[in-house]
Amino acid sequence: MKLEPTAQPKLYIGIDIHKRSWKVHCATDLFGGKSFAMPPKPEVLYEYVAKHFPDHQVTTAYEAGCCGYYAHRSFEAYGWHSLVVNPADIHRKGKERFTKTDKIDAQLISRELKDGRLESIHVPHVEREQLRSLFRRRNDLVKDYRRIKSLIKMQLLYFGIAIPEEFDNDHWSHKFRGWVDEVVFAYPSARETLDSRMRSFRFIDQELRDVSTKMRAYCRKHYKKDYYLLKSIPGIGGIVACGIICELGDLRRFNSIKHLAGYVGLAPGIHQSGDNQKSTGITMRAHRLMRSYFIEASWQAIRTDPIMQTYYRKHLGKNVKSIIIKVARKLLSRTLAVIKTETPYAIGVIE
């Protein structure tokens, strides 16, 4: 009697991806499979699967990291189902938490994939992903900008040169920059040091302006509707609006404010046991960059929106940091509502 398969066999591939090599573990729905190392090339894995598992339905998974989504897009192009997972979502039993090798990681991913316990993170479109790189470049420049300013102030303080009171603030006017250029030292070596730092400062300052301008122009051109909807919200200016578009993508993909707040990291943690229950503050799992942007935007929102200001004052007496987190979540909720309804925000009036 000739036997015919009643269902297509399945292959589950867990991959621990690194720059120079991949550790792969292949398991079918019937057998545990084996682990092996291979060059970091999707086409090599495709050839292996085509040779050894030609009729299998293939599902792959690997941890999100520095290697991006190139492998994921290649696997999807082969007709495979591919997942990019958060490393924190991979369950480890007992001693597995204290034993870590590339081989074990690949086996764990394959096991969790086979058991159906893994969910993919959101993989952005290539165009949105490359726009995000421009936003992150701006964020790097902001850090460099703050650092070089601190170094210049440090040198002046070290040599006992007092900054005039009219210039002693965070805004570096052209007049202040001219004053720094004219500072006299006892020996020319210190002057050369300061000149070098001022050249770096001017370069970073110009780069920051250029990148910010290009990023805003791109968002205005390609995401005009969402950009101006976001800018209608008090506290959210051009840069924060670009950050939301670049980092969070289309907010319409979030089902609820709870879903969005959990992604950004403005959801409260709770620890409950028996009759005891306490809040542990905002969750550690977060999109830290966007969470910080929303918190900074909240300080501006309470200055310009009477409704938000009233909400802030209602909680006065508590920890200021806790209050501003509440305001940030409320601002996040309004941001989602504005995008989903496609209605510009109207500033409330207190009667």
Side-chain angles (χ1 to χ4, degrees), residues 30 36 41 78 104 118 241 260 270 272 309:
L30 299 177
F36 58 91
K41 298 178 180 178
Y78 299 150
I104 290 175
L118 292 182
L260 177 57
I270 297 176
Q272 186 267 334
Q309 188 175 115

Side-chain angles (χ1 to χ4, degrees), residues 128 219-220 222-233 236 241-242 244-245 249-252 335 338-340 342:
R128 184 91 66 163
C219 290
R220 282 197 302 267
H222 297 276
Y223 301 96
K224 182 177 180 180
K225 181 168 68 176
D226 285 1
Y227 179 79
Y228 285 106
L229 283 172
L230 291 169
K231 279 198 67 180
S232 71
I233 304 171
I236 296 183
C242 290
I244 294 171
I245 291 170
D250 187 357
L251 295 184
R252 297 171 185 84
T335 302
V338 163
I339 292 296
K340 285 211 166 190
E342 298 187 354

Side-chain angles (χ1 to χ4, degrees), residues 45-92:
L45 182 59
Y46 177 75
E47 292 172 1
Y48 176 85
V49 171
K51 179 179 179 181
H52 295 90
F53 305 95
D55 301 320
H56 285 62
Q57 179 181 329
V58 182
T59 305
T60 66
Y62 67 90
E63 296 177 349
C66 62
C67 294
Y69 307 112
Y70 167 71
H72 165 78
R73 295 189 178 107
S74 297
F75 298 151
E76 291 282 345
Y78 299 150
W80 300 351
H81 179 50
S82 177
L83 283 73
V84 183
V85 300
N86 188 318
D89 290 341
I90 300 173
H91 176 67
R92 293 175 178 267

